[in-house]
Amino acid sequence: LRAATTLRAATTLRAATTLRTTSRRGQSSTAAAPLRYFSAWFCPFAHRATLALEHHRQAVPYEWEESLGWEQRAPTGDEDFEATERSDWWYHWKSPALLAANPKGMVPTLLDPATNRAVTESIVCIQFIDELAAANGSTAPPLLPTDPFERAAARVAAEQVNKSVTSGYYQALVRTDAAERADGFAKVLDGLRAFTRESRGHFWGGDSLGLVDCVLLPYAYRLYALEHYRGFAVPASGEGGVWERYQAWLSRATSLPYVAPTLPERERYLRHVAKYAEGKARSKVGNAVRRGAAAHDYDDTLDDDAAHAQGVK
């Protein structure tokens, strides 16, 4: 209980600090009320929306609300498992405001305070922000191509990144079988190869950050976690220059002036993700991967915290 109370207090403090910082950073000259942005500093899914918001920060004002934390809950006695299986499990704490805006409790969630309409799902949020920015007269390059065929190709590539790199990352991190972990990392490498070979400039779609880059970058940046916990490292060179080009893209993207401040501090993130590496995190994504599903195929019912607390498999 003390751990849960302390963690919620710390989360509130971090949220207040982040909100003050991001409110200034995300301000624009438009008169529109800022979007309420329910996020979490550690979440790579939410990081995708953060990149889009920062890319269009002059046209899409927003206020960050830190909305996820971690807490340890005492067993209730109703669980369908041995007490030793969960003595130090960690569950997501979700802010009441997030749950009011999105009952599924997932980040990113964007809320229009004037109408109470919400937008969810990370890839959808990127496209929504890009469309809203265009309507608001953004001078930043669009995140999606203007040509309909190229837009379709970008959406397909973004989904492929989600299925290969994102799901492979969690498979390598969460699964306990060594062969399954290695298979997960192989999926990551396959996704990085495809992304690099399809890229047509400094970034996936040309000379500026785009949809596919925003989908990949939060995971590409965090791959040091797999090296730290599993010993899996992305090659620095080889395969006809593929890995040199990939590493150059990663360095270029993370060095962008509006991207660099969004990157979580390495040691802090490693402490966070240890919960997944050690099998203690009870989140929807973690629960899905533990039961053998891909991270992108988590089920809101089967993988809900409450369902797993009651022994649903």
Side-chain angles (χ1 to χ4, degrees), residues 7-61:
L7 187 55
R8 283 196 292 269
T11 300
T12 301
L13 177 60
R14 286 197 303 270
T17 303
T18 306
L19 178 57
R20 287 194 294 271
T21 302
T22 310
S23 294
R24 291 194 298 270
R25 190 174 68 219
Q27 283 299 324
S28 94
S29 58
T30 180
L35 294 170
R36 293 180 68 181
Y37 176 38
F38 299 100
S39 191
W41 71 268
F42 54 78
C43 179
F45 288 103
H47 195 180
R48 293 168 171 173
T50 303
L51 294 174
L53 286 165
E54 284 298 291
H55 181 82
H56 285 303
R57 63 194 177 278
Q58 294 181 335
V60 183

Side-chain angles (χ1 to χ4, degrees), residues 254-274:
T254 54
S255 298
L256 289 172
Y258 65 86
V259 170
T262 73
L263 304 175
E265 191 271 324
R266 178 187 174 102
E267 292 305 316
R268 186 185 182 197
Y269 181 74
L270 285 174
R271 289 194 298 273
H272 155 75
V273 84

